[in-house]
Amino acid sequence: MTNKLISLLDYENKAKQLLPKDTWQFISGGALDETTVLRNRLAINQRLLQPKRFQHAGFVDVSTKVLGSIIQLPVMISPAGSQSLAHDQAEEATASASSRVSTVMVVGTAASRKLETVRKVSNGLLWFQLYHHGTALTEMLIRRAEIAGYQALCVTVDVPYTITAEKDLRNHWKLPYGTEMANFTCDEAGLGIKSNTADARQYRRPPHVPVTWDTLEWIRSLTTLPIVIKGIMRADDAVGCVERGVQGVIVSNHGGRQLDGQASTIEVLPEIVRAVGQKCEVFVDGGFRRGIDVLKAVALGAKAVLIARPVFHGLAVAGDVGVEHVLTILRNELYEAMALCGVNTLAEVDRDLIYNCPSTAPL
Ligand SMILES: Cc1cc2nc3c(=O)[nH]c(=O)nc-3n(C[C@H](O)[C@H](O)[C@H](O)COP(=O)(O)O)c2cc1C
């Protein structure tokens, strides 16, 4: 089937046909009126490339370095829980695809597979995404991520409180039986909770504890792993993270799934890069679906972009092969975009490549 699909939009359309309607709406939807979901895409489209001539050296290299490791394309996998909704192999499929393509997968606290299982199927780069569920659970997860050999921690800070999207309320959507968070029901968690039991059900969506500056300092003091903070939308927050010793920030509005009515990520990216780009690595996610989108983000100072919903689409269509194909499409599109823009390496890509269109907000 995958040879008939040539773009991420093809994958999206196919996944929509294949998945049950309520599951589709849970994955694709956003908060309230979904203005932020839309704005992420619109604002990327509004940024325009201004190609260079006479610079092409006859080769294009789309590889880059993140937190000291080389990846073969500046596209990584955003953390996203419950991947068993899209395919039985869940995060195991995503991890093997991402290691074959040689990029980073960020494995979620809310994954359908425990972090140790995901680590076993991948020789590649894995970061562990942490939701703060209180000091005991958080420390337990950090220790396990260290023991399992994760390369970094990614602390998500934009879900101090969980909300339910209106479509999910209308669908009476609940994560299906058996999709509680494996990280809490496995033996390694030491909580004595068995999967598929009444006790396990509370771990489908355990309460979130807001991350404060004190929490961040506490997490920093617990581990020597590099820390990347996900969910930053303001320069002053990014500066505060850097002052507390983090190595990276992910500019993210959670794909419009939490607070509706906020700016798109590509709009705020430049001010965050200006504030901390010399002191830490800046990543971005939210609506990146084309190689040209990735190139625009890199031009505006991102080290790499991350994708989440397209991973579910790849999984739904063809498991690990689908996810690998999604990443390969983006890599090939980026290659072409760079060739057409007259840039040979990502290091050469800068703001110069973005047209300062008078009709868009100042960059
Ligand atoms: C179904 C789903 C589950 C998600 N779960 C998580 C999660 O557990 N942790 C997290 O930090 N972000 C989570 N996210 C947000 C993504 O990491 C990402 O920020 C967002 O979806 C934007 O990327 P996209 O437009 O490529 O989907 C989830 C997103 C989706 C669609």
Side-chain angles (χ1 to χ4, degrees):
M1 181 186 305
T2 53
N3 58 7
K4 293 205 177 113
L5 307 180
I6 56 172
S7 70
L8 268 58
L9 187 59
D10 287 350
Y11 268 91
E12 184 172 337
N13 290 333
K14 192 74 202 168
K16 187 175 180 182
Q17 286 169 17
L18 294 171
L19 289 169
K21 189 173 171 209
D22 56 356
T23 305
W24 168 257
Q25 290 191 333
F26 170 73
I27 292 167
S28 60
L32 298 183
D33 300 316
E34 301 185 343
T35 55
T36 299
V37 180
L38 273 176
R39 194 168 176 102
N40 277 343
R41 284 283 326 135
L42 277 176
I44 292 170
N45 285 338
Q46 275 177 344
R47 270 72 196 153
L48 301 172
L49 293 163
Q50 193 165 32
K52 298 178 184 189
R53 308 298 177 212
F54 315 109
Q55 311 284 326
H56 206 303
F59 71 92
V60 172
D61 180 0
V62 299
S63 68
T64 191
K65 221 181 210 186
V66 295
L67 299 186
S69 299
I70 291 174
I71 55 175
Q72 289 306 322
L73 73 166
V75 179
M76 318 195 295
I77 311 250
S78 285
S82 310
Q83 294 186 11
S84 62
L85 290 172
H87 193 271
D88 285 348
Q89 291 299 308
E91 289 80 6
E92 289 180 74
T94 306
S96 57
S98 95
S99 79
R100 287 203 295 274
V101 178
S102 196
T103 188
V104 170
M105 173 184 178
V106 190
V107 179
T109 292
S112 320
R113 294 286 190 277
K114 63 180 180 179
L115 63 93
E116 291 82 2
T117 303
V118 185
R119 181 70 275 179
K120 269 196 196 117
V121 298
S122 161
N123 300 319
L125 296 166
L126 295 180
W127 299 356
F128 183 69
Q129 177 265 331
L130 201 60
Y131 274 138
H132 185 38
H133 292 297
T135 50
L137 294 180
T138 296
E139 182 164 3
M140 174 269 285
L141 290 167
I142 292 174
R143 295 295 170 236
R144 282 171 52 201
E146 288 173 336
I147 291 167
Y150 279 71
Q151 277 88 8
L153 282 182
C154 166
V155 184
T156 299
V157 295
D158 58 8
V159 191
Y161 173 83
T162 44
I163 60 136
T164 304
E166 289 183 2
K167 283 178 186 154
D168 298 337
L169 286 173
R170 290 201 182 92
N171 291 333
H172 305 288
W173 165 258
K174 281 202 173 66
L175 281 172
Y177 199 67
T179 52
E180 71 275 346
M181 296 185 191
N183 278 319
F184 296 125
T185 55
C186 60
D187 290 343
E188 288 85 346
L191 300 170
I193 296 161
K194 290 277 163 269
S195 185
N196 284 325
T197 60
D199 278 349
R201 265 180 242 167
Q202 64 173 305
Y203 287 101
R204 284 185 198 171
R205 225 174 171 186
H208 285 234
V209 179
V211 177
T212 62
W213 291 125
D214 286 347
T215 325
L216 180 53
E217 282 163 17
W218 170 73
I219 292 173
R220 180 65 291 171
S221 74
L222 278 186
T223 182
T224 55
L225 283 176
I227 294 179
V228 175
I229 303 296
K230 175 168 182 278
I232 295 302
M233 288 295 288
R234 304 172 54 100
D236 51 1
D237 279 348
V239 170
C241 289
V242 168
E243 284 168 358
R244 286 162 181 84
V246 313
Q247 281 70 24
V249 294
I250 303 178
V251 178
S252 176
N253 52 31
H254 218 99
R257 296 170 72 81
Q258 291 297 314
L259 175 70
D260 196 27
Q262 52 178 320
S264 73
T265 51
I266 203 153
E267 283 171 298
V268 300
L269 175 65
E271 68 194 58
I272 294 174
V273 169
R274 253 193 311 275
V276 298
Q278 301 297 320
K279 297 180 183 140
C280 79
E281 296 186 5
V282 180
F283 307 95
V284 63
D285 77 7
F288 292 88
R289 303 292 181 262
R290 287 283 188 189
I292 51 171
D293 302 346
V294 178
L295 187 54
K296 290 174 192 177
V298 174
L300 292 171
K303 260 273 152 186
V305 309
L306 296 92
I307 55 168
R309 293 181 184 88
V311 170
F312 284 88
H313 306 156
L315 281 175
V317 173
D320 63 321
V321 175
V323 177
E324 183 175 357
H325 194 204
V326 159
L327 290 165
T328 308
I329 289 170
L330 281 177
R331 189 183 61 205
N332 294 343
E333 286 186 357
L334 175 64
Y335 183 100
E336 286 177 1
M338 287 171 64
L340 291 169
C341 279
V343 284
N344 309 296
T345 66
L346 291 169
E348 288 171 32
V349 176
D350 61 21
R351 265 175 105 98
D352 206 20
L353 220 52
I354 302 287
Y355 175 56
N356 242 327
C357 177
S359 65
T360 52
L363 297 171

